[in-house]
Amino acid sequence: MENTIKTRALTHKGTMKMLEAAIAEAEKIGQPQCIVIVDASGELLAEVRMSGAKFLSRKSARSKALTASSIGAPTTNSPEAVRPFIASATEGDVTGLPGGLPIISESTLLGGIGVGSGSGNQDIAVAKAALAAIGAETEFA
């Protein structure tokens, strides 16, 4: 068994629950959002650009989801001093902008969610609503 590991993954049903909860929260606060959900390896599971969301925010939402999945922490945990260098080295795939959160359930990193088009606080609120929908962690150190 030293050559294999057991893993857990977010299902399509869990992904849809997250997306629906994120959209509902964005509608509740009156801020259309771009929402991207990736798995633990950064592969796209779901994406939506709500009507009225800024089209370039789709790119930042993707970067936020990838960053959160890669580091297993909120995007804002990236050290401020290295953010420009990491962003350049990854062609923008890594960001320190608020709105990217890891999807962690039962101490297992399942992926990341990135939200963009609102203020940082709005983006985070929408991401947390998505996490809560599947019982994933919503508070981070």
Side-chain angles (χ1 to χ4, degrees):
M1 292 307 275
E2 67 184 48
N3 296 318
T4 62
I5 58 172
K6 289 184 180 183
T7 61
R8 294 178 58 231
L10 187 60
T11 66
H12 67 278
K13 289 182 181 183
T15 302
M16 291 305 296
K17 279 184 186 177
M18 290 181 69
L19 201 55
E20 289 168 1
I23 291 169
E25 181 67 17
E27 289 175 338
K28 178 179 155 191
I29 65 174
Q31 178 58 59
Q33 296 279 20
C34 293
I35 304 156
V36 176
I37 300 170
V38 299
D39 69 13
S41 65
E43 285 297 316
L44 180 67
L45 296 176
E47 175 180 24
V48 67
R49 177 178 160 236
M50 294 174 63
S51 301
K54 300 169 193 157
F55 67 89
L56 284 177
S57 292
R58 182 184 156 274
K59 289 182 179 186
S60 66
R62 180 182 177 276
S63 294
K64 292 174 188 184
L66 289 171
T67 302
S69 181
S70 177
I71 67 173
T75 49
T76 53
N77 283 20
S78 300
E80 187 91 32
V82 299
R83 288 179 187 177
F85 304 109
I86 293 173
S88 177
T90 62
E91 298 179 350
D93 282 345
V94 176
T95 184
L97 293 170
L101 298 176
I103 304 167
I104 299 173
S105 178
E106 298 176 19
S107 301
T108 301
L109 178 65
L110 303 176
I113 181 168
V115 180
S117 205
S119 69
N121 288 337
Q122 289 172 323
D123 295 352
I124 291 168
V126 170
K128 283 186 174 187
L131 296 174
I134 61 163
E137 292 180 26
T138 58
E139 296 303 320
F140 306 95

